[in-house]
Amino acid sequence: EIDFSSLLLTKRQLSYLDLEFKAVCKDESYKEDLESLCFILIFMLKGTLPWLLSSEEIDKLEDLDDNEKSKIFAEIETTKAICTIEELCSGLPSEIAELLTYARGLNKFQQPNYKGIKEKFRRLFERMFGKIDNVFDWDYIENPVIKLKYSVPV
């Protein structure tokens, strides 16, 4: 079970991280967006990322001078740089590693093949859960007569 309590950040923490993120990511592109999606998928499936700071560490950032903050963000960048796709995606479906490899191989402003990505993850879903029946948990909640094969407790 994933502990999401580490994601509960204060407004101050979020605004601080947002400012730091904007300072580092000046040139966002499809490539960075797709890589970020991979990190989100990895986090959702594993519950962590190797460079993730705890909420306590984020709180401490506010009290540090710019030089100390720069060191911490440099450590995060180094961890991201040396962490291999195999390490990040160990124990996960191969499609996630393939997507991350694909994202990193894109040119800065090359538009991804979204149709191909969607098809790959549709096949992954069908392999894991069976045919897509277009019945979703929210359909079940609204209409309890529908019997779901896989249901998430509400």
Side-chain angles (χ1 to χ4, degrees), residues 11-75:
K11 186 176 179 183
R12 184 187 69 217
Q13 291 169 330
L14 287 173
S15 61
Y16 179 79
L17 288 177
D18 188 47
L19 289 173
E20 289 295 331
F21 179 76
K22 287 178 181 172
V24 173
C25 300
K26 295 175 184 157
D27 299 325
E28 293 134 7
S29 68
Y30 295 115
K31 177 180 179 142
E32 282 81 16
D33 288 346
L34 201 52
E35 191 168 350
S36 294
L37 172 63
C38 292
F39 294 151
I40 290 168
L41 291 172
I42 293 165
F43 177 82
M44 290 179 72
L45 293 168
K46 287 188 157 191
T48 190
L49 291 166
W51 54 84
L52 192 65
L53 296 177
S54 69
S55 58
E56 293 82 21
E57 291 170 317
I58 293 170
D59 277 338
K60 290 177 186 175
L61 285 176
E62 190 174 83
D63 299 328
L64 299 176
D65 62 32
D66 288 343
N67 189 36
E68 290 297 316
K69 289 176 192 173
S70 294
K71 287 180 185 176
I72 290 171
F73 286 112
E75 288 176 27

Side-chain angles (χ1 to χ4, degrees), residues 5-6 8 19 23 58 72 84-85 104 122 128:
S5 63
S6 65
L8 300 176
L19 289 173
I58 293 170
I72 290 171
T84 65
I85 292 173
R104 290 184 174 173
R122 183 192 61 75
M128 293 179 71

Side-chain angles (χ1 to χ4, degrees), residues 75-88:
E75 288 176 27
I76 291 170
E77 286 182 43
T78 301
T79 304
K80 278 185 173 182
I82 64 172
C83 191
T84 65
I85 292 173
E86 293 77 22
E87 287 175 293
L88 275 174

Side-chain angles (χ1 to χ4, degrees), residues 4 11 28 48 58 63 97 107 121 126-127 138 154:
F4 288 104
K11 186 176 179 183
E28 293 134 7
T48 190
I58 293 170
D63 299 328
N107 294 324
F121 279 85
E126 287 181 350
R127 188 176 80 232
W138 53 84
V154 183

Side-chain angles (χ1 to χ4, degrees), residues 102-116:
Y102 173 73
R104 290 184 174 173
L106 289 172
N107 294 324
K108 185 86 174 147
F109 296 104
Q110 179 182 355
Q111 186 164 358
N113 176 3
Y114 291 120
K115 188 175 181 180

Side-chain angles (χ1 to χ4, degrees), residues 138-151:
W138 53 84
D139 294 328
Y140 180 73
I141 292 166
E142 291 174 11
N143 184 355
V145 174
I146 298 173
K147 302 290 184 209
L148 289 180
K149 184 175 180 182
Y150 300 98
S151 170

